[in-house]
Amino acid sequence: MEKMMHSYIISGDGDAARSRAREMAAAALCESSGAKPCRACRHCRKVFQGAFPGIHPDVALVERAADKSGKLRREITVDQIRALAVDAAVLPNEADGKVYIFPEADTMNIAAQNAFLKLLEEPPPNWMFILVASRLERLLPTILSRVIQLRFDQIPLALTQEALNRLG
């Protein structure tokens, strides 16, 4: 993870953006000395195994929680971000770091975004946040200024793979 930045936002929605977030998570944890993600090391295999985001214990989703009736809430809340901060303080299980993927980052409410800003401003070593958002305008300008913005929704997959290889 030492060559990658600690926070990225992928603009776009749907499966393509989620797929790119998964690729970046695998690249961040990949043990290969060559192209990343290699898809062969134990970390890559776990990220790509099963449904999104895989079964790797150091890759977690931050998404809207369900209410008591099982219906998804409209927003990611400040309590979820506080719980994330507590979880992130725990050492990784298998990898050298942890990756948190927000598949709908633009659903964070304002209080959650303000709490998340503290994490972005003082990131512990080996944390990575990958935000996916279809509506960047719903995120605070201060968040957007602290993340690397990637417009993978307008870049062909082959070029995306080349960019990931350069990051690793």
Side-chain angles (χ1 to χ4, degrees):
M1 288 183 70
E2 66 277 353
K3 292 184 181 180
M4 297 178 83
M5 298 299 293
H6 75 282
S7 55
Y8 295 87
I9 187 161
I10 300 170
S11 60
D13 57 3
D15 292 336
R18 290 165 66 99
S19 175
R20 284 161 176 80
R22 191 178 207 175
E23 293 274 339
M24 289 183 71
L29 301 178
C30 184
E31 296 175 309
S32 172
S33 59
K36 296 183 182 195
C38 69
R39 295 182 174 262
C41 72
R42 65 188 172 111
H43 295 305
C44 285
R45 285 193 316 270
K46 286 185 175 187
V47 171
F48 291 112
Q49 185 177 346
F52 178 79
I55 63 167
H56 200 293
D58 297 319
V59 177
L61 286 181
V62 180
E63 54 190 348
R64 296 178 292 150
D67 62 17
K68 293 178 184 176
S69 67
K71 184 178 175 182
L72 281 182
R73 294 178 188 228
R74 294 172 32 123
E75 302 172 318
I76 296 172
T77 66
V78 68
D79 290 335
Q80 289 177 266
I81 300 301
R82 288 177 183 146
L84 162 72
V86 169
D87 177 74
V90 176
L91 291 174
N93 290 299
E94 295 180 12
D96 291 334
K98 291 184 177 185
V99 178
Y100 295 91
I101 301 173
F102 291 67
E104 299 174 307
D106 49 1
T107 63
M108 273 190 282
N109 64 32
I110 297 299
Q113 290 184 53
N114 282 317
F116 185 60
L117 268 173
K118 181 170 172 116
L119 295 174
L120 286 176
E121 291 170 348
E122 301 172 14
N126 298 328
W127 277 16
M128 178 182 276
F129 301 109
I130 303 171
L131 291 75
V132 178
S134 59
R135 297 172 300 222
L136 292 176
E137 69 277 2
R138 296 185 82 197
L139 293 169
L140 295 172
T142 48
I143 287 183
L144 296 175
S145 71
R146 286 167 175 77
V147 299
I148 304 297
Q149 295 185 39
L150 305 171
R151 299 225 16 137
F152 283 139
D153 58 339
Q154 297 177 349
I155 299 173
L157 186 57
L159 292 177
T160 300
Q161 193 60 45
E162 286 179 33
L164 287 171
N165 289 339
R166 283 193 300 272
L167 288 173

